[in-house]
Amino acid sequence: MLTYIFRRLLVALSVMMTVAVISFMLLHLSGDLASAIAGPEASAAAVEQIRVQYGLDRPITSQFFDWLGSAVRFDFGRSFYFESTVIELIGERLPITLKLGGIALLLAVVVAIPLGVLAAIYRDTWIDRVALAIAVVGQAMPSFWFALTLILLFSVGLKWLPVAGNATWQHFVLPAVALGYYAMPAMMRLTRAGMLDVLGSDYIRTARAKGLSPSRVVFKHALRNAIIPVVALAAVELGFMLGGSVVIESVYSMQGLGQLAWDSISRNDYPVVQAVVLIIAIFYIGLTFLADVLNAALDPRMRTR
């Protein structure tokens, strides 16, 4: 087990370094950063002054290793627009995004697992078809369109919930539903596939032959094995939702990490953009690593791969 964890940790660290290189290089390949920071009306002397001030006149490798060394110490510099340190901005906004992602994941799990179980038990019935239809719609429908539809229905029409903001728990309901519906289809389909596979196995037939009640067979013997891959997928989906929060937070004007990323991109605030990309990537890679470890702990066969 320790050998497997060490191998997966090496993979996670190598992916993290690759993301750091790509996030740094994409900004520098997008154009002249000094000109973008100075603005279109700046003179050549002002652009050159900014180039020297921010160290953009140095070799690209020197800039990267200086930035990486500071990033390891969580020193991402100062924001060009917000006039604050980048780590302070992230510290203020990250809890909102984590709270939104946690609530959305909880909603997705609470809906997806029962739907998947019911779809497997009542295979090829109207219950199965309705569950699969819900999953297909969730996969096909753009999250921003679904978010706007929820606003029109529950905020503008029925006036049950606020349109935007993050001041109270009511403000998290619609964003969590919109974000959770994005993650629910994959978990529902995986639960259904796992249950169908397990329900056809020999030990389930043996349990039924012993006279165990259907609910005991399903929940004690079948679900506990079918849910193993879903646990790992939930960790990965949380990483996807943290990245996808950019769209949802922008629609609902929530002052989280996603909104910060959008504001920074639109205002050419490069230190914040680099930091947000790196932080979200670290969370996603860490959650993927956790999913691999959970898979190996729950299924020993994974340790040999």
Side-chain angles (χ1 to χ4, degrees):
M1 183 66 180
L2 291 176
T3 303
Y4 176 82
I5 292 175
F6 181 71
R7 290 203 312 266
R8 301 310 300 174
L9 184 60
L10 287 180
V11 172
L13 291 175
S14 63
V15 173
M16 200 175 298
M17 178 58 71
T18 303
V19 170
V21 172
I22 292 174
S23 64
F24 181 84
M25 292 304 299
L26 282 177
L27 289 178
H28 284 73
L29 293 174
S30 61
D32 187 0
L33 294 184
S35 300
I37 295 169
E41 305 298 328
S43 63
V47 172
E48 190 60 31
Q49 181 181 356
I50 288 176
R51 196 186 313 277
V52 174
Q53 178 182 350
Y54 290 103
L56 298 174
D57 57 332
R58 295 179 300 150
I60 192 71
T61 53
S62 299
Q63 295 181 49
F64 171 73
F65 284 111
D66 286 348
W67 173 78
L68 185 62
S70 299
V72 170
R73 302 191 303 271
F74 294 100
D75 178 12
F76 298 103
R78 294 187 65 84
S79 166
F80 297 155
Y81 177 80
F82 294 98
E83 297 182 354
S84 175
T85 62
V86 176
I87 195 64
E88 288 176 354
L89 287 171
I90 292 176
E92 293 171 359
R93 305 291 190 93
L94 184 58
I96 297 172
T97 299
L98 291 177
K99 183 178 179 180
L100 174 61
I103 297 172
L105 180 64
L106 180 62
L107 288 175
V109 169
V110 167
V111 174
I113 292 178
L115 267 182
V117 171
L118 288 173
I121 294 174
Y122 299 101
R123 183 180 183 181
D124 295 330
T125 65
W126 68 269
I127 296 176
D128 186 21
R129 293 187 181 90
V130 168
L132 290 176
I134 292 173
V136 170
V137 171
Q139 287 179 319
M141 185 166 49
S143 58
F144 73 89
W145 187 87
F146 183 51
L148 292 173
T149 302
L150 291 176
I151 290 175
L152 289 174
L153 180 60
F154 293 103
S155 298
V156 178
L158 298 175
K159 302 186 185 303
W160 287 354
L161 295 165
V163 175
N166 50 263
T168 64
W169 67 267
Q170 290 97 328
H171 290 87
F172 284 85
V173 174
L174 294 184
V177 171
L179 196 58
Y181 192 32
Y182 170 78
M184 186 269 291
M187 287 189 281
M188 193 281 289
R189 294 171 73 95
L190 189 60
T191 302
R192 178 183 180 274
M195 285 293 295
L196 288 175
D197 184 55
V198 171
L199 288 173
S201 59
D202 292 337
Y203 78 93
I204 294 296
R205 284 194 290 268
T206 302
R208 285 171 173 163
K210 287 181 177 180
L212 296 180
S213 64
S215 60
R216 187 179 180 123
V217 171
V218 169
F219 294 107
K220 184 175 181 180
H221 296 282
L223 184 58
R224 65 187 299 179
N225 291 313
I227 207 173
I228 289 175
V230 180
V231 173
L233 178 64
V236 177
E237 286 294 338
L238 179 57
F240 275 121
M241 285 191 285
L242 292 179
S245 65
V246 174
V247 175
I248 298 300
E249 288 181 7
S250 298
V251 172
Y252 290 98
S253 296
M254 302 185 74
Q255 298 305 307
L257 203 61
Q259 182 68 41
L260 177 63
W262 177 258
D263 292 339
S264 302
I265 292 170
S266 61
R267 296 182 173 105
N268 295 328
D269 199 344
Y270 297 111
V272 179
V273 174
Q274 284 180 319
V276 170
V277 170
L278 187 61
I279 293 294
I280 291 178
I282 288 173
F283 268 101
Y284 180 75
I285 294 168
L287 289 167
T288 305
F289 171 73
L290 178 62
D292 290 338
V293 173
L294 283 173
N295 262 338
L298 296 171
D299 187 356
R301 295 172 298 178
M302 297 291 296
R303 303 173 194 174
T304 59
R305 297 181 181 179

